Amino acid sequence: MSVRVGMGYDVHRVKAGRPLILGGVHFESDWGLEGHSDADVVLHAIADALLGSVGLGDLGEHFPPGDPKWKDASSLNLLTRVGRMLTDKGARVTNIDVMVIAEAPKLAPHRSTMCANIAAALGIEADRVSVKATTNETLGAIGRREGLAAMAVVLVDKA
């Protein structure tokens, strides 16, 4: 086995009237994130990190944002597909660490559900997933609540 590391980042603009979905959890909100799919920055960052860890490119390469097939697609479904791609390459997820950067909403009440959703999509134990949050201290576009971002680091064993 060889150990592989992947890093992912995603950011989306805030948009009124869209559902807010983070880590597969629907948040009560009158705004969500703009995007072709459900715009779940948490799952997009993780998927990009996983794809990168085994040299499979990025999320947009496999699920192009211009393709109507992926319009409003569930990012949990996309993450499950990415997990299968890793399995096909002989890779197993060791752990995932993701950081959400946002002024709102509060993630703490939903953290365990988010970890469980991510783990279930990838067929791993929930204790292999860490979801954290920080603010941008009101600085920049994220600080002004114009968008949300997430960064992920993954560790993968590859046969």
Side-chain angles (χ1 to χ4, degrees):
M1 299 288 272
S2 67
V3 176
R4 304 285 188 95
V5 175
M7 182 183 77
Y9 174 81
D10 195 39
V11 62
H12 285 273
R13 291 180 190 273
V14 166
K15 184 173 182 181
R18 286 268 302 180
L20 178 59
I21 304 167
L22 299 170
V25 173
H26 291 255
F27 284 76
E28 289 294 324
S29 179
D30 58 356
W31 56 270
L33 298 175
E34 187 175 7
H36 188 68
S37 68
D38 64 12
D40 188 328
V41 294
V42 173
L43 301 184
H44 292 184
I46 292 168
D48 265 341
L50 290 170
L51 289 166
S53 73
V54 294
L56 285 175
D58 62 30
L59 198 59
E61 184 178 332
H62 296 278
F63 311 103
D67 187 338
K69 177 180 181 178
W70 307 116
K71 177 75 174 137
D72 297 323
S74 161
S75 294
L76 278 172
N77 180 34
L78 302 181
L79 185 61
T80 299
R81 290 169 179 263
V82 168
R84 284 192 209 119
M85 290 179 207
L86 264 69
T87 299
D88 291 346
K89 292 281 271 186
R92 183 179 67 86
V93 178
T94 301
N95 76 301
I96 297 169
D97 187 24
V98 63
M99 173 69 76
V100 180
I101 305 111
E103 301 300 315
K106 296 290 184 198
L107 297 188
H110 307 282
R111 187 175 287 132
S112 63
T113 304
M114 294 168 78
C115 291
N117 288 345
I118 295 162
L122 295 169
I124 62 174
E125 300 84 9
D127 68 355
R128 293 177 178 262
V129 181
S130 171
V131 175
K132 304 177 303 230
T134 191
T135 68
N136 220 36
E137 299 293 331
T138 70
L139 298 172
I142 292 172
R144 290 187 303 270
R145 298 180 181 215
E146 296 171 12
L148 300 182
M151 297 182 290
V153 176
V154 301
L155 189 64
V156 171
D157 284 331
K158 188 171 181 307

